[in-house]
Amino acid sequence: ESVQSTYRQICDSMPPIAGVAQGAMVLQDTMFIDLDLPRLDKVLRPKVDGSILLDELFPENTLDFMVFFSSMAAMTGNPGQVAYNAANMFMASLAAQRRKRGLAGHAINIGAIVGNGYVTRELNMGQQSYLYRVGHSWMSEQDFHEVFAEGVLSCLDRVGAAELCCGLRIDDDESKSWVSNPMFQHLVSKSSSLVVSDKKGKSGMLIKTRLFEATSMQEVMEILIGTVIRNSLQ
């Protein structure tokens, strides 16, 4: 009722609504084993129910943009934020669904922002240091403005992916949990996951070299399958 009331008030007193930014968030950080239904519901409702309500308010192609504020943690994972990450992933899927319907929709996975936002405001230095160690990089406020603008432009163009990621530190430190995830391999310049043994059992050979030397499709598949199995066992 409050969403619909606010919508009617805006429509009655202001120019037509050109865009929507969905930034609602409630956190109840807890490990999955301790996650009960009340906590899950409290975290999901603002992002899931709130996004559904906004989608229902704008079912036709009347908006220039609808940008959903997600988090980079939904991409890299955070053991204490299972519900929060699930809620963010729902928004990303809703953005993609809207795009398939020919409507404006884009999700931006935001990293920590220097001097602004929840991380700076609520987390102590120890918690912020942990985020840096696991691979997050602090963005400036101007960085965020540009990321938001990219989301708006994506909605206007209606082409490409309906999701954008930012605030991830790319380096050769393999202690970060996401480095071995195949989804991020195009960002990693060096990784032990790309080193395999040659035919004679000699270790330390780059998978790129092995593939280059392969003489048949069967040998290529053996190299790739062997690499996938080793990664899954690590």
Side-chain angles (χ1 to χ4, degrees), residues 55 58-62 95 98-105 158:
D55 179 51
F58 302 96
E60 299 178 357
N61 191 20
T62 58
R98 284 183 59 87
R99 291 282 278 268
K100 288 184 178 180
R101 285 186 273 150
L103 306 177
R158 302 285 205 280

Side-chain angles (χ1 to χ4, degrees), residues 81-94:
Q81 294 187 318
V82 176
Y84 174 64
N85 293 340
N88 282 318
M89 294 304 289
F90 173 84
M91 292 199 304
S93 66
L94 180 59

Side-chain angles (χ1 to χ4, degrees), residues 183-199:
M183 182 171 65
F184 297 108
Q185 285 305 299
H186 64 293
L187 302 176
V188 181
S189 56
K190 295 179 182 179
S191 174
S192 60
S193 63
L194 300 181
V195 178
V196 297
S197 300
D198 60 17
K199 298 176 183 177

